[in-house]
Amino acid sequence: MALLLKHFGSAPTLNAHLQAALQKPILASAGGGASLPAVVTTSTPSAAVAAAAKSKPVDVAVIGSGVAGLTATLRLLDRGAKVALIDKEKRLGGNSAKASSGINGCCPDHSRSDRNVDDSIAAFAADTAKSAKREASDMIQLLVESSKSAIEWLLKRTSIDLTKMAQLGGHSYARTHRPSNGMIGAELVYALQREVKKFESSGQLQLMQGTKVTSLLQDGSGRVTGVAYEQGGAEGQLLVPETVLATGGFANDRTNTSLLAKHRPDLLRFPTTNGEWATGDGMKMAMAIGAGTVDMDKVQIHPTGFVDPTDVSASTKVLCGEMMRGVGGILVSPQGTRFVNELSPRDKVVEAQLETGADEFGLILNEAMAKEAGKHVELYTKKGLLTKVKGVAGIAEWMAGSSGVAGASDASALANALESSLAAYNAAAAQGRDEFGKVYFHNAPIPLNETLYVGRIVPVLHYCMGGITFNQMGDVLRTDGSVVPGLHAAGEVSASPL
């Protein structure tokens, strides 16, 4: 999936720590201008300082340790807050660690090139609104206007490499940033948690891994005052002035209180890219105290999840990132024919997949595409998810084989169809447009008799576009639109009527 960071405007209703941490990043680009407030030192504290910090009450509980939770935690810590970071898993990162394609943003100075020289905030907002199938709103404007400073903050605060750029589905320009040395999710989670953990020895950070939050606590006025939790078979409570939900979505919710079954029972048949932890816990807890929700039926199906030939029936698939089509990868049916503009928005690609009547599809890349994809292809090939073959004949033989695409034609028929499909694709690339409306043909042509890469893919549940309602300041809203005092949201758990 392409990774979006949600940032918020300053909020007078929050305490001083939370207000500063959740405001829009104000880092200047590499030319001067405003800068962040001074970062709190993370040098080894004296024994007295550490003891004082450890005895100080927790200011904020952040529930969930994906990119949204880690980012909120780090910004709070940098401004002196004492934070409890809670996750029901023993490992930090959540589904964010699985992200592979990058972070969308317009337009940090380092990312400008002839591929996006004409890109603008207006163009980014228009693309976002078009994909959302609604008019550009204040929330869309906030997202796109904050994207540059968000990326610049990440670069400065974590030193992550975001030098690679790609134009992915639904985007008019190359504005998706990723590392040159690995997958964006793993690299970003590693970089953020490294910085966050520097505060642990001082007592400013309280890490509560393997701890499941079971409910939100409230006082008589309805203000959220903390959380109840389970840890190692024991129950406990943590009382805090402010709580941030960053618990993700429900794209793998197969529980007896399944939000997926409630809102999209028709999607239960699809596998998912999400871990077993993606059960909508934060949404359920917020709804239990009256939080509103919006677009809960808007569950995104990603067009490309890898089928592992060694575990074909696995309900959780490895994500075949958007970037694999962004570098030029094409999709073919089990009969060897193209059927879609691979750079269309995800919903359009999935719609075309379903219209074929097939369950599985082939993904094809040439060597130029594989080179641009870099570590992604290396990893997928090592895992046996991509196979290196010789030309059209090699693809046909692989697709028709025991590890190939379900429902594939025999190798001879496939070879003929693939040769015709690739020849037509190459001709369209030379002309600048194909029958499906594709106008960007990165790393074309695809040679018919040279080294190619092929993978077996299926549509997969990937991301919840809806969630609990919140405002531009990150405050969770009740069903009547009023603020739930003491409760805030970040990342996939949250949503707004964009």
Side-chain angles (χ1 to χ4, degrees):
M1 143 193 99
L3 189 61
L4 293 176
L5 299 181
K6 295 184 180 178
H7 291 260
F8 312 104
S10 59
T13 58
L14 308 186
N15 66 25
H17 294 311
L18 199 61
Q19 177 177 352
L22 292 185
Q23 68 183 357
K24 291 192 289 184
I26 54 173
L27 272 180
S29 57
S35 61
L36 281 171
V39 172
V40 174
T41 178
T42 56
S43 58
T44 303
S46 67
V49 171
K54 289 177 181 177
S55 63
K56 175 187 174 184
V58 173
D59 296 304
V60 186
V62 177
I63 309 170
S65 67
V67 166
L70 288 170
T71 299
T73 298
L74 183 55
R75 290 179 65 79
L76 287 160
L77 292 168
D78 278 347
R79 287 156 180 81
K82 182 172 181 178
V83 182
L85 178 58
I86 309 171
D87 200 295
K88 67 180 179 180
E89 297 298 305
K90 294 182 178 180
R91 177 181 296 182
L92 301 180
N95 288 319
S96 295
K98 298 183 174 192
S100 63
S101 291
I103 302 174
N104 301 323
C106 177
C107 298
D109 293 342
H110 81 275
S111 68
R112 286 293 192 183
S113 71
D114 58 358
R115 296 179 64 187
N116 61 13
V117 67
D118 294 324
D119 198 8
S120 65
I121 294 298
F124 191 7
D127 285 347
T128 304
K130 182 178 180 181
S131 293
K133 297 184 177 66
R134 58 190 68 179
E135 295 297 317
S137 65
D138 290 345
M139 296 297 273
I140 286 179
Q141 202 63 31
L142 177 63
L143 173 68
V144 298
E145 288 179 354
S146 302
S147 63
K148 175 182 177 179
S149 55
I151 289 173
E152 289 175 336
W153 178 81
L154 285 171
L155 292 172
K156 183 172 183 179
R157 187 61 183 85
T158 72
S159 300
I160 188 173
D161 168 29
L162 293 176
T163 54
K164 299 284 277 186
M165 297 292 296
Q167 179 181 350
L168 303 188
H171 292 276
S172 301
Y173 299 95
R175 61 170 75 104
T176 304
H177 305 67
R178 73 177 192 275
S180 60
N181 58 342
M183 306 288 198
I184 179 62
E187 294 295 320
L188 186 51
V189 165
Y190 173 78
L192 285 169
Q193 71 171 304
R194 178 191 61 212
E195 297 304 315
V196 163
K197 286 182 176 180
K198 290 178 181 178
F199 292 86
E200 191 172 14
S201 62
S202 71
Q204 193 182 340
L205 171 70
Q206 181 179 341
L207 265 181
M208 299 174 65
Q209 293 162 261
T211 302
K212 182 177 181 179
V213 175
T214 55
S215 64
L216 299 170
L217 305 177
Q218 293 180 285
D219 64 16
S221 70
R223 180 181 184 86
V224 171
T225 57
V227 299
Y229 63 85
E230 296 175 352
Q231 183 183 61
E235 297 181 351
Q237 292 186 350
L238 176 66
L239 301 180
V240 290
E242 308 289 342
T243 299
V244 179
L245 292 176
T247 49
F250 55 87
N252 199 5
D253 189 1
R254 320 284 180 171
T255 66
N256 58 8
T257 58
S258 173
L259 292 173
L260 185 61
K262 178 179 180 179
H263 295 284
R264 289 303 301 271
D266 57 310
L267 301 185
L268 288 169
R269 65 187 179 92
F270 286 94
T272 181
T273 60
N274 286 210
E276 60 184 12
W277 53 80
T279 51
D281 298 0
M283 295 180 188
K284 294 172 184 177
M285 290 186 290
M287 290 162 61
I289 64 166
T293 59
V294 65
D295 291 338
M296 294 291 278
D297 61 325
K298 303 298 190 296
V299 180
Q300 184 186 94
I301 306 178
H302 196 289
T304 53
F306 279 116
V307 176
D308 185 345
T310 66
D311 193 7
V312 173
S313 61
S315 60
T316 298
K317 306 296 188 189
V318 173
L319 174 66
C320 173
E322 191 91 9
M323 189 270 301
M324 299 295 281
R325 285 173 285 126
V327 299
I330 67 168
L331 303 178
V332 294
S333 72
Q335 287 70 49
T337 58
R338 284 185 65 238
F339 53 88
V340 71
N341 170 5
E342 290 84 0
L343 293 181
S344 293
R346 292 174 184 174
D347 61 326
K348 296 298 183 184
V349 178
V350 171
E351 183 180 302
Q353 287 175 309
L354 298 179
E355 285 178 356
T356 69
D359 294 322
E360 298 184 5
F361 305 86
L363 170 74
I364 300 172
L365 297 92
N366 63 20
E367 284 199 292
M369 299 168 190
K371 182 178 180 180
E372 184 176 342
K375 294 287 185 180
H376 293 72
V377 168
E378 291 180 24
L379 176 65
Y380 296 150
T381 302
K382 184 176 180 180
K383 287 179 171 288
L385 303 174
L386 278 179
T387 301
K388 193 174 183 178
V389 299
K390 183 71 172 179
V392 168
I395 294 177
E397 185 177 347
W398 180 87
M399 285 182 64
S402 58
S403 297
V405 174
S409 302
D410 65 78
S412 177
L414 264 174
N416 291 332
L418 286 165
E419 183 171 346
S420 176
S421 294
L422 294 186
Y425 182 80
N426 293 338
Q431 295 171 1
R433 190 176 186 88
D434 74 0
E435 61 183 303
F436 306 108
K438 189 170 189 175
V439 294
Y440 301 107
F441 298 84
H442 303 308
N443 294 308
I446 300 176
L448 304 186
N449 298 302
E450 298 179 15
T451 298
L452 299 171
Y453 294 80
V454 61
R456 179 179 177 183
I457 58 132
V458 293
V460 281
L461 301 180
H462 186 56
Y463 191 86
C464 295
M465 310 303 289
I468 55 177
T469 50
F470 75 131
N471 60 24
Q472 290 192 21
M473 286 71 74
D475 303 311
V476 171
L477 304 178
R478 297 189 178 96
T479 54
D480 63 4
S482 62
V483 168
V484 180
L487 185 61
H488 320 279
E492 189 180 1
V493 69
S494 62
S496 72
L498 289 174

